[in-house]
Each structure stands twice: as C-alpha cells, then as structure tokens.
Amino acid sequence: MSTPAPIRGYTASKDQLLARLRRVEGQVRGIEKMVDEDRYCIDVLTQISAIQAALDKVALGLLDGHARHCMHEGAAEGRADEMATEMMAAVGRLMKRG
C-alpha cells in the first residue's frame, strides 16, 4: 500500500514545470557542446544568460505556487510567520546569485 504524493504548490502545473526544466537541461547540453566546439565566449555567455532567465521563471512559478498554496495551508495551521520567514529566506537566496 503506497502513500499518495503530497499536494504541493506546483502540483497543478507540474507538467509545465517539468517541460520547462527539460528545456533548460537541453540548453545546458547546448552550452557544453558550444564549449567543446570552442565557440565565441560572448555567444556562450549569451546562452548562459538565457538559461538563468529560464530558471528565474521556474523559480517565480514555484514561489507563486508556494505563496498561494503552501503558505495558505500553513496560515490555516497557525504557522503563517514561520512560512513567511521560510519563503523570504528562499527569495533572499535567489537574489544573492552572482
């Protein structure tokens, strides 16, 4: 008897999220090939920038789902402050990149 998977903030858009991540994975493989082929540095950096933008979109989608679902549930359980602190720490980590 297996336990059903928990419902997460991204559950409703999981297929879209996975497709976006697969696209990013393909872009990373493309950069690997560019480096292997000794492509121009600026072209490689441009592709890295595109990947970062794509990952930012994934992160924003996850944050949106977390705020609308997980934090809502946490507030109903009396954990609103804890959940807000946790989310703001995650946002802080995302913004420190670089």
Side-chain angles (χ1 to χ4, degrees):
M1 189 159 103
S2 65
T3 306
I7 296 175
R8 303 288 183 204
Y10 58 83
T11 299
S13 61
K14 188 174 181 177
D15 291 339
Q16 181 183 9
L17 176 64
L18 289 171
R20 197 177 293 265
L21 288 169
R22 280 190 287 275
R23 246 180 275 127
V24 168
E25 182 182 20
Q27 287 176 294
V28 171
R29 280 194 305 273
I31 289 176
E32 182 181 10
K33 184 178 177 187
M34 290 174 77
V35 170
D36 188 50
E37 294 172 351
D38 296 316
R39 298 279 296 271
Y40 185 55
C41 301
I42 300 301
D43 293 341
V44 175
L45 291 169
T46 299
Q47 291 306 308
I48 290 171
S49 178
I51 290 169
Q52 288 173 331
L55 286 173
D56 286 346
K57 273 188 112 168
V58 169
L60 282 174
L62 288 170
L63 284 170
D64 182 70
H66 183 72
R68 294 175 191 277
H69 174 78
C70 302
M71 289 186 68
H72 182 71
E73 278 191 356
E77 296 169 0
R79 298 176 30 230
D81 287 341
E82 172 191 341
M83 300 292 288
T85 299
E86 180 183 51
M87 185 169 130
M88 292 311 298
V91 170
R93 287 190 301 273
L94 286 169
M95 293 180 74
K96 282 186 189 176
R97 202 178 54 209

